[in-house]
Amino acid sequence: MVDVLALVEARLRTALGDPDARAAVTFLGTDRVEVLRFQDDNQDGTVVRYATLGMSAQSMSDPTATLADPVAGPRAELVLSVRGGLADTDKVLRPLAVLAASPQVEGVVVAPGASLDVGEPLWPGAPFTSVLVAEPGGLVEDLELDAPLDPVRFLPLLPMTPNEAAWKRVHGAQALQERWLTNGTDLRDPSRKSVPLD
């Protein structure tokens, strides 16, 4: 059996460079989930990226399926990007690991357009308790695996304020993303305010 996680880590390193920190979290009855931190210094300052490693070890299965297929089914890892030095965002490690374990724990399939709620601030003082799962393929390319395995998709997470999450439930993910775009929202700002929603 191919070592999916070794391939995933190699893909992350190719796209984001070498991680400068990593932490592991294990929940009862689930595989270990690691969170890797990458720093990207550019002319706009530092962007810190957090990527999960472990979620893709197993395929996600439809919670309504009578029998889960251990091989076929979508695989994913989560990637969160924030501006560095503006908040204590390293505390997002545990909430990220919780979200990465949710397919195993709750039997959910994490896909673009979904909302994931951790029920508490993503880091101390954060105005966000949930994230919107965005389309993959921009920052880290999908990782093709040998058939019959599905490719691993690297899903960007966009933090949402409670107001934005409530608005998204009514109007949909696309409408919220258009609202962010129209208002020039900096989705990497760890202390940004909610976008105008009226």
Side-chain angles (χ1 to χ4, degrees), residues 42-55:
N42 55 41
Q43 65 272 18
D44 298 330
T46 302
V47 174
V48 183
R49 304 189 197 283
Y50 301 94
T52 63
L53 179 63
M55 183 176 172

Side-chain angles (χ1 to χ4, degrees), residues 40-128:
D40 178 15
D41 296 309
N42 55 41
Q43 65 272 18
D44 298 330
T46 302
V47 174
V48 183
R49 304 189 197 283
Y50 301 94
T52 63
L53 179 63
M55 183 176 172
S56 60
Q58 295 185 30
S59 59
M60 296 182 277
S61 56
D62 184 340
T64 60
T66 333
L67 195 60
D69 188 324
V71 178
R75 292 174 188 263
E77 296 290 354
L78 309 174
V79 181
L80 173 71
S81 301
V82 292
R83 296 205 177 282
L86 303 176
D88 188 8
T89 55
D90 280 352
K91 296 287 196 308
V92 79
L93 298 176
R94 187 167 178 78
L96 267 185
V98 168
L99 296 178
S102 62
Q104 281 188 63
V105 176
E106 299 167 31
V108 296
V109 175
V110 178
S115 301
L116 303 175
D117 197 317
V118 294
E120 60 184 26
L122 291 176
W123 51 83
F128 320 106

Side-chain angles (χ1 to χ4, degrees), residues 125-198:
F128 320 106
T129 57
S130 62
V131 292
L132 174 65
V133 181
E135 290 291 338
L139 190 61
V140 186
E141 285 183 27
D142 291 355
L143 172 64
E144 296 294 335
L145 300 174
D146 293 337
L149 301 182
D150 281 27
V152 177
R153 304 169 84 198
F154 297 88
L155 302 172
L157 301 180
L158 308 175
M160 292 189 292
T161 66
N163 283 349
E164 289 170 339
W167 196 85
K168 181 251 173 193
R169 278 193 293 276
V170 175
H171 300 279
Q174 185 68 40
L176 178 58
Q177 287 179 296
E178 286 169 9
R179 185 61 62 107
W180 281 336
L181 198 59
T182 305
N183 285 274
T185 306
D186 180 2
L187 295 173
R188 294 176 181 168
D189 181 350
S191 53
R192 71 172 180 85
K193 302 285 185 272
S194 183
V195 71
L197 296 169
D198 30 308

